[in-house]
Amino acid sequence: MTSFDPMEEADIDALIALWDACDMTRPWNPPEVDIAQFRASPHAAIFVHRHEGRLVAAFAVGEDGHRGWVYYLCTDPAHRRHGLARAAMAQAEDWARARGIAKLHLMVRLSNAPVLAFYEGLGYEDSGVVVMQKWLDPERARLQAEHADAL
């Protein structure tokens, strides 16, 4: 069975490169900041999978005491369709269950139909809520506004 290991300090550059290759990064969310925040929290983790020593898949998980969340699940385009994403989600679900979390959430851009279909195939469904946001950092708000086409 495919497994993912906790990321290490030495994985940071490779993880950012993977996120870039999978179109996961956005100018208003510096990946270095997100990685540091996940790694600093006792309620979150980043897991990676290597093939022949190279990082080819990853995901992040977190929990707030009520809900679990999956973030940044991605697989190198050359390694897709080999069960890595399915294995990542199984491990994310196990991570949440081990913490007593009853429900796992994730966000997918509406424009990403193949990924929506993937999650629906795993039993995930639209929860009938709207995710709202308010930027507390004006610079990051400005960056998102400048790159609205990248949403």
XYZ file of all heavy atoms in Angstrom, residues 67-141:
599
model
N -13.763 20.197 12.896
C -13.684 19.692 11.535
C -12.233 19.463 11.148
O -11.340 20.149 11.605
C -14.257 20.709 10.549
C -15.725 20.940 10.662
C -16.177 21.971 9.629
N -17.607 22.146 9.681
C -18.228 23.058 10.423
N -17.528 23.888 11.160
N -19.533 23.137 10.426
N -12.059 18.512 10.246
C -10.754 18.325 9.639
C -10.763 18.926 8.245
O -11.817 19.063 7.620
N -9.594 19.291 7.780
C -9.457 19.896 6.453
C -8.301 19.253 5.711
O -7.275 18.923 6.314
C -9.179 21.398 6.582
C -10.375 22.172 7.028
C -10.778 22.402 8.309
C -11.339 22.796 6.188
N -11.926 23.142 8.317
C -12.304 23.403 7.024
C -11.489 22.910 4.804
C -13.389 24.101 6.526
C -12.568 23.619 4.314
C -13.509 24.203 5.171
N -8.455 19.101 4.403
C -7.386 18.649 3.527
C -7.025 19.820 2.631
O -7.913 20.495 2.088
C -7.814 17.443 2.657
C -6.705 17.047 1.696
C -8.202 16.269 3.535
N -5.732 20.053 2.494
C -5.226 21.155 1.669
C -4.125 20.643 0.749
O -3.407 19.692 1.089
C -4.594 22.247 2.544
C -5.484 22.820 3.614
C -5.486 22.287 4.895
C -6.293 23.921 3.348
C -6.282 22.834 5.896
C -7.092 24.469 4.340
C -7.080 23.923 5.609
O -7.868 24.461 6.590
N -3.960 21.309 -0.352
C -2.783 21.118 -1.224
C -2.536 19.670 -1.639
O -1.397 19.281 -1.846
C -1.517 21.660 -0.544
C -1.432 23.155 -0.462
C -1.564 23.813 0.762
C -1.177 23.918 -1.592
C -1.453 25.188 0.841
C -1.064 25.300 -1.519
C -1.209 25.933 -0.300
O -1.097 27.297 -0.217
N -3.583 18.865 -1.780
C -3.355 17.513 -2.270
C -2.980 17.602 -3.749
O -3.698 18.202 -4.544
C -4.607 16.655 -2.113
C -4.379 15.196 -2.497
C -5.025 14.286 -1.471
C -4.867 14.896 -3.874
N -1.831 17.048 -4.099
C -1.402 17.101 -5.497
C -0.460 15.947 -5.806
O 0.205 15.415 -4.920
C -0.755 18.431 -5.832
S 0.700 18.826 -4.861
N -0.452 15.596 -7.080
C 0.413 14.541 -7.597
C 1.118 15.079 -8.832
O 0.483 15.689 -9.697
C -0.416 13.297 -7.984
O -1.122 12.846 -6.834
C 0.462 12.186 -8.505
N 2.403 14.858 -8.904
C 3.171 15.246 -10.086
C 2.446 14.725 -11.324
O 2.024 13.566 -11.355
C 4.569 14.625 -9.984
C 5.464 15.010 -11.129
O 5.144 14.647 -12.279
O 6.494 15.643 -10.876
N 2.261 15.570 -12.347
C 1.524 15.134 -13.543
C 2.046 13.824 -14.144
O 1.254 13.027 -14.666
C 1.691 16.303 -14.511
C 1.845 17.500 -13.620
C 2.634 16.988 -12.427
N 3.328 13.553 -14.044
C 3.893 12.318 -14.609
C 3.564 11.084 -13.769
O 3.806 9.960 -14.209
C 5.407 12.455 -14.747
N 2.995 11.286 -12.569
C 2.709 10.163 -11.671
C 1.224 10.029 -11.363
O 0.856 9.320 -10.420
C 3.519 10.312 -10.381
C 4.980 10.142 -10.596
N 5.609 8.927 -10.481
C 5.926 11.034 -10.980
C 6.895 9.078 -10.762
N 7.107 10.351 -11.067
N 0.396 10.676 -12.150
C -1.047 10.594 -11.919
C -1.611 9.285 -12.448
O -0.996 8.603 -13.250
C -1.743 11.788 -12.567
C -1.390 13.072 -11.838
C -2.107 14.274 -12.352
N -1.667 15.436 -11.566
C -1.768 16.680 -11.969
N -2.295 16.954 -13.141
N -1.340 17.654 -11.203
N -2.782 8.962 -11.940
C -3.506 7.751 -12.344
C -2.830 6.464 -11.865
O -2.935 5.424 -12.499
C -3.735 7.716 -13.848
C -4.422 8.954 -14.375
C -5.719 8.592 -15.045
N -6.385 9.760 -15.588
C -7.431 10.347 -15.015
N -7.907 9.900 -13.887
N -8.001 11.391 -15.573
N -2.111 6.585 -10.734
C -1.480 5.408 -10.131
C -1.958 5.196 -8.693
O -1.338 4.441 -7.948
C 0.046 5.543 -10.147
C 0.622 5.609 -11.519
N 0.714 4.514 -12.350
C 1.105 6.662 -12.227
C 1.246 4.880 -13.510
N 1.485 6.178 -13.454
N -3.030 5.897 -8.295
C -3.604 5.700 -6.971
C -3.015 6.561 -5.868
O -3.379 6.396 -4.709
N -2.109 7.474 -6.202
C -1.484 8.284 -5.157
C -2.486 9.213 -4.469
O -2.475 9.341 -3.242
C -0.317 9.088 -5.727
C 0.901 8.272 -6.134
C 1.926 9.150 -6.845
C 1.519 7.601 -4.923
N -3.344 9.865 -5.229
C -4.321 10.779 -4.626
C -5.311 10.007 -3.759
O -5.674 10.453 -2.663
C -5.041 11.577 -5.704
N -5.735 8.862 -4.235
C -6.647 8.020 -3.448
C -5.970 7.586 -2.139
O -6.570 7.626 -1.063
C -7.060 6.810 -4.288
C -8.097 5.935 -3.649
C -8.556 4.845 -4.609
N -9.221 5.383 -5.778
C -10.511 5.705 -5.837
N -11.267 5.537 -4.785
N -11.033 6.186 -6.937
N -4.705 7.186 -2.221
C -3.959 6.797 -1.017
C -3.777 7.991 -0.081
O -3.867 7.844 1.144
C -2.602 6.214 -1.408
N -3.533 9.161 -0.638
C -3.390 10.367 0.184
C -4.677 10.656 0.947
O -4.648 10.950 2.146
C -3.010 11.559 -0.695
N -5.810 10.551 0.262
C -7.083 10.818 0.941
C -7.368 9.774 2.013
O -7.882 10.106 3.082
C -8.218 10.899 -0.073
C -8.188 12.182 -0.896
S -8.183 13.700 0.118
C -9.797 13.589 0.902
N -7.031 8.519 1.761
C -7.233 7.492 2.785
C -6.391 7.815 4.020
O -6.866 7.693 5.160
C -6.878 6.112 2.225
N -5.164 8.250 3.809
C -4.298 8.588 4.941
C -4.799 9.848 5.652
O -4.761 9.932 6.881
C -2.851 8.755 4.485
C -1.889 8.856 5.644
C -0.443 8.650 5.234
O -0.143 7.905 4.300
N 0.459 9.307 5.943
N -5.296 10.829 4.891
C -5.853 12.041 5.505
C -7.064 11.692 6.368
O -7.219 12.212 7.482
C -6.236 13.049 4.419
N -7.912 10.806 5.868
C -9.080 10.385 6.640
C -8.656 9.650 7.912
O -9.220 9.894 8.983
C -9.991 9.517 5.774
C -10.665 10.309 4.674
C -11.411 9.439 3.663
O -11.478 8.191 3.842
O -11.928 10.014 2.679
N -7.649 8.797 7.809
C -7.136 8.098 9.000
C -6.563 9.089 10.012
O -6.765 8.942 11.222
C -6.069 7.080 8.614
C -6.638 5.863 7.898
O -7.874 5.655 7.932
O -5.833 5.122 7.284
N -5.838 10.099 9.528
C -5.266 11.133 10.388
C -6.381 11.821 11.170
O -6.268 12.028 12.387
C -4.484 12.128 9.534
C -3.753 13.196 10.273
C -2.445 13.174 10.679
C -4.259 14.485 10.665
N -2.121 14.353 11.301
C -3.209 15.174 11.314
C -5.492 15.122 10.535
C -3.357 16.463 11.819
C -5.652 16.406 11.047
C -4.584 17.058 11.682
N -7.460 12.173 10.483
C -8.581 12.855 11.146
C -9.283 11.927 12.141
O -9.581 12.334 13.270
C -9.561 13.371 10.101
N -9.549 10.699 11.719
C -10.208 9.742 12.621
C -9.400 9.537 13.902
O -9.966 9.444 14.994
C -10.382 8.392 11.927
C -11.592 8.293 11.068
C -11.807 6.841 10.606
N -12.518 6.860 9.360
C -11.964 6.795 8.154
N -10.661 6.644 8.015
N -12.704 6.841 7.072
N -8.088 9.466 13.785
C -7.226 9.255 14.953
C -7.333 10.411 15.943
O -6.996 10.249 17.119
C -5.776 9.071 14.507
N -7.797 11.548 15.494
C -7.965 12.715 16.360
C -9.411 12.916 16.795
O -9.760 13.951 17.354
C -7.441 13.964 15.648
C -5.921 13.979 15.632
C -5.339 14.802 14.511
N -3.891 14.690 14.559
C -3.197 13.627 14.145
N -3.813 12.592 13.643
N -1.894 13.596 14.237
N -10.274 11.962 16.465
C -11.677 12.054 16.855
C -12.490 13.005 15.998
O -13.579 13.412 16.401
N -11.990 13.336 14.837
C -12.691 14.256 13.933
C -13.696 13.448 13.116
O -13.339 12.459 12.471
C -11.690 14.996 13.017
C -10.661 15.767 13.847
C -12.415 15.901 12.041
C -11.223 16.813 14.766
N -14.952 13.872 13.118
C -16.024 13.111 12.473
C -16.257 13.495 11.017
O -16.910 12.757 10.281
C -17.323 13.295 13.259
N -15.732 14.646 10.604
C -16.028 15.125 9.246
C -14.804 15.799 8.667
O -14.125 16.564 9.350
C -17.210 16.093 9.304
C -17.662 16.582 7.952
C -19.011 17.296 7.969
C -19.103 18.441 8.918
N -20.306 19.272 8.723
N -14.543 15.518 7.400
C -13.395 16.085 6.709
C -13.890 16.988 5.587
O -14.805 16.630 4.847
C -12.546 14.939 6.131
C -11.104 15.218 5.770
C -10.311 15.784 6.946
C -10.435 13.934 5.289
N -13.290 18.167 5.487
C -13.654 19.154 4.464
C -12.468 19.411 3.551
O -11.313 19.212 3.928
C -14.025 20.495 5.120
C -15.293 20.468 5.880
N -16.479 20.912 5.356
C -15.571 20.047 7.137
C -17.431 20.777 6.257
N -16.900 20.248 7.356
N -12.770 19.923 2.373
C -11.736 20.388 1.458
C -12.364 21.422 0.534
O -13.584 21.525 0.443
C -11.130 19.223 0.666
C -12.088 18.236 0.011
C -12.514 18.690 -1.366
C -11.427 16.885 -0.048
N -11.526 22.199 -0.091
C -11.995 23.207 -1.037
C -11.398 22.906 -2.399
O -10.223 22.580 -2.506
C -11.582 24.611 -0.581
C -12.288 25.057 0.682
S -11.824 26.722 1.199
C -10.348 26.358 2.130
N -12.239 23.019 -3.429
C -11.824 22.813 -4.813
C -12.377 23.982 -5.619
O -13.549 24.347 -5.459
C -12.377 21.481 -5.382
C -11.944 21.283 -6.826
C -11.958 20.309 -4.516
N -11.553 24.530 -6.468
C -12.040 25.593 -7.345
C -13.144 25.041 -8.247
O -13.020 23.946 -8.803
C -10.894 26.145 -8.189
C -9.892 26.917 -7.359
C -8.740 27.464 -8.219
N -7.746 28.045 -7.348
C -6.709 27.357 -6.832
N -6.519 26.092 -7.141
N -5.863 27.953 -6.018
N -14.234 25.790 -8.408
C -15.351 25.344 -9.232
C -14.932 25.050 -10.663
O -15.537 24.212 -11.336
C -16.471 26.385 -9.219
C -17.214 26.533 -7.892
C -18.202 27.688 -7.965
C -17.910 25.244 -7.523
N -13.880 25.693 -11.117
C -13.403 25.493 -12.489
C -12.648 24.173 -12.652
O -12.328 23.788 -13.779
C -12.501 26.658 -12.901
O -11.357 26.706 -12.055
N -12.394 23.452 -11.579
C -11.575 22.247 -11.634
C -12.458 20.991 -11.642
O -12.461 20.196 -10.701
C -10.596 22.232 -10.460
C -9.419 21.336 -10.726
O -9.461 20.479 -11.585
N -8.362 21.535 -9.957
N -13.191 20.809 -12.737
C -14.150 19.702 -12.850
C -13.523 18.322 -12.643
O -14.122 17.483 -11.963
C -14.882 19.775 -14.189
N -12.333 18.026 -13.193
C -11.776 16.689 -12.963
C -11.515 16.391 -11.486
O -11.740 15.272 -11.017
C -10.467 16.705 -13.757
C -10.635 17.770 -14.782
C -11.522 18.793 -14.133
N -11.064 17.387 -10.742
C -10.796 17.172 -9.319
C -12.105 17.040 -8.547
O -12.220 16.204 -7.642
C -9.891 18.288 -8.756
C -9.792 18.215 -7.244
C -8.508 18.177 -9.386
N -13.104 17.831 -8.910
C -14.415 17.676 -8.275
C -14.938 16.257 -8.492
O -15.435 15.618 -7.555
C -15.407 18.700 -8.832
C -15.175 20.143 -8.396
C -16.029 21.091 -9.227
C -15.467 20.314 -6.913
N -14.803 15.740 -9.703
C -15.262 14.377 -10.000
C -14.473 13.343 -9.191
O -15.048 12.355 -8.711
C -15.140 14.097 -11.497
N -13.174 13.567 -9.029
C -12.355 12.652 -8.228
C -12.899 12.555 -6.808
O -13.122 11.461 -6.276
C -10.892 13.110 -8.218
C -10.060 12.435 -7.169
C -9.644 11.117 -7.334
C -9.712 13.100 -6.001
C -8.892 10.477 -6.345
C -8.961 12.477 -5.018
C -8.548 11.160 -5.187
N -13.108 13.711 -6.165
C -13.590 13.700 -4.786
C -15.002 13.124 -4.686
O -15.321 12.404 -3.738
C -13.519 15.091 -4.172
C -12.108 15.519 -3.857
C -11.538 16.628 -4.471
C -11.328 14.806 -2.951
C -10.233 17.018 -4.183
C -10.030 15.178 -2.665
C -9.493 16.287 -3.283
O -8.209 16.667 -3.004
N -15.855 13.428 -5.644
C -17.200 12.846 -5.632
C -17.112 11.324 -5.708
O -17.872 10.613 -5.048
C -18.025 13.409 -6.786
C -18.439 14.846 -6.548
C -19.035 15.529 -7.771
O -19.043 14.937 -8.880
O -19.486 16.683 -7.615
N -16.160 10.810 -6.477
C -15.961 9.371 -6.574
C -15.509 8.741 -5.263
O -15.682 7.535 -5.059
N -14.945 9.545 -4.378
C -14.531 9.063 -3.056
C -15.633 9.238 -2.009
O -15.425 8.940 -0.828
C -13.272 9.801 -2.584
C -11.997 9.545 -3.380
C -10.849 10.363 -2.790
C -11.636 8.073 -3.389
N -16.782 9.772 -2.435
C -17.899 9.952 -1.517
C -18.041 11.348 -0.949
O -18.904 11.591 -0.101
N -17.224 12.288 -1.394
C -17.348 13.666 -0.931
C -18.467 14.342 -1.708
O -18.732 14.000 -2.861
C -16.020 14.419 -1.107
C -14.999 13.975 -0.087
C -14.301 12.781 -0.252
C -14.765 14.728 1.054
C -13.390 12.340 0.698
C -13.856 14.296 2.011
C -13.179 13.099 1.822
O -12.288 12.672 2.765
N -19.132 15.277 -1.052
C -20.252 15.960 -1.694
C -20.252 17.432 -1.340
O -19.655 17.842 -0.336
C -21.567 15.314 -1.275
C -21.806 15.339 0.220
C -22.991 14.484 0.656
O -23.466 13.656 -0.126
O -23.418 14.669 1.804
N -20.919 18.194 -2.160
C -21.091 19.623 -1.897
C -21.841 19.752 -0.581
O -22.898 19.139 -0.392
C -21.884 20.257 -3.047
C -22.025 21.761 -2.915
O -22.037 22.296 -1.790
O -22.150 22.419 -3.961
N -21.302 20.518 0.342
C -21.904 20.624 1.669
C -22.979 21.693 1.758
O -23.540 21.911 2.820
C -20.824 20.872 2.724
O -20.133 22.064 2.440
N -23.263 22.354 0.648
C -24.349 23.324 0.643
C -24.050 24.592 1.418
O -24.966 25.252 1.898
N -22.787 24.917 1.551
C -22.411 26.164 2.214
C -21.537 26.989 1.270
O -20.938 26.460 0.341
C -21.649 25.919 3.536
C -22.509 25.161 4.525
C -20.346 25.202 3.302
N -21.462 28.251 1.540
C -20.594 29.146 0.788
C -19.420 29.498 1.686
O -19.614 29.865 2.850
C -21.346 30.433 0.368
C -20.402 31.425 -0.276
C -22.501 30.083 -0.556
N -18.220 29.355 1.174
C -17.035 29.747 1.928
C -16.833 31.234 1.692
O -16.743 31.685 0.551
C -15.791 28.951 1.476
C -14.551 29.438 2.203
C -16.012 27.472 1.704
N -16.784 31.995 2.766
C -16.593 33.444 2.668
C -15.236 33.789 3.252
O -14.694 33.034 4.057
C -17.721 34.165 3.402
C -19.078 33.855 2.796
S -20.429 34.650 3.668
C -20.215 36.324 3.108
N -14.715 34.931 2.845
C -13.403 35.351 3.336
C -13.369 36.859 3.547
O -14.154 37.595 2.960
C -12.313 34.954 2.351
C -12.348 35.740 1.061
C -11.233 35.350 0.118
O -10.658 34.289 0.232
N -10.927 36.212 -0.825
N -12.457 37.256 4.373
C -12.130 38.662 4.565
C -10.635 38.714 4.804
O -10.122 38.093 5.747
C -12.855 39.254 5.771
C -12.469 40.699 6.041
C -13.177 41.245 7.263
C -12.743 42.662 7.549
N -13.426 43.183 8.744
N -9.932 39.396 3.948
C -8.486 39.526 4.117
C -8.177 40.450 5.282
O -8.720 41.547 5.368
C -7.853 40.081 2.845
C -7.712 39.041 1.777
C -8.483 38.912 0.657
C -6.750 37.986 1.730
N -8.059 37.838 -0.081
C -6.996 37.248 0.552
C -5.719 37.590 2.567
C -6.237 36.143 0.201
C -4.972 36.490 2.210
C -5.227 35.778 1.030
N -7.313 40.014 6.157
C -6.836 40.839 7.262
C -5.476 41.434 6.938
O -5.001 42.308 7.655
C -6.768 40.013 8.549
C -8.093 39.338 8.930
C -7.906 38.498 10.177
C -9.197 40.364 9.104
N -4.871 40.966 5.869
C -3.577 41.458 5.397
C -3.819 42.208 4.093
O -4.088 41.590 3.055
C -2.637 40.274 5.169
C -1.265 40.682 4.675
O -1.135 41.729 4.001
O -0.311 39.928 4.936
N -3.754 43.542 4.096
C -4.060 44.323 2.901
C -3.175 43.985 1.690
O -3.651 44.010 0.558
C -3.838 45.778 3.325
C -3.822 45.765 4.807
C -3.430 44.385 5.238
N -1.925 43.636 1.922
C -1.038 43.301 0.800
C -1.488 42.019 0.107
O -1.498 41.936 -1.116
C 0.410 43.169 1.281
C 1.383 42.739 0.201
C 1.458 43.686 -1.006
O 1.008 44.833 -0.936
O 1.996 43.247 -2.043
N -1.869 41.045 0.880
C -2.337 39.801 0.278
C -3.681 40.005 -0.410
O -3.947 39.406 -1.458
C -2.378 38.695 1.327
C -0.938 38.290 1.715
C -0.852 37.314 2.816
N -1.227 35.973 2.390
C -1.103 34.903 3.159
N -0.606 35.005 4.379
N -1.465 33.718 2.723
N -4.517 40.863 0.125
C -5.788 41.202 -0.538
C -5.521 41.866 -1.885
O -6.176 41.562 -2.887
C -6.618 42.120 0.349
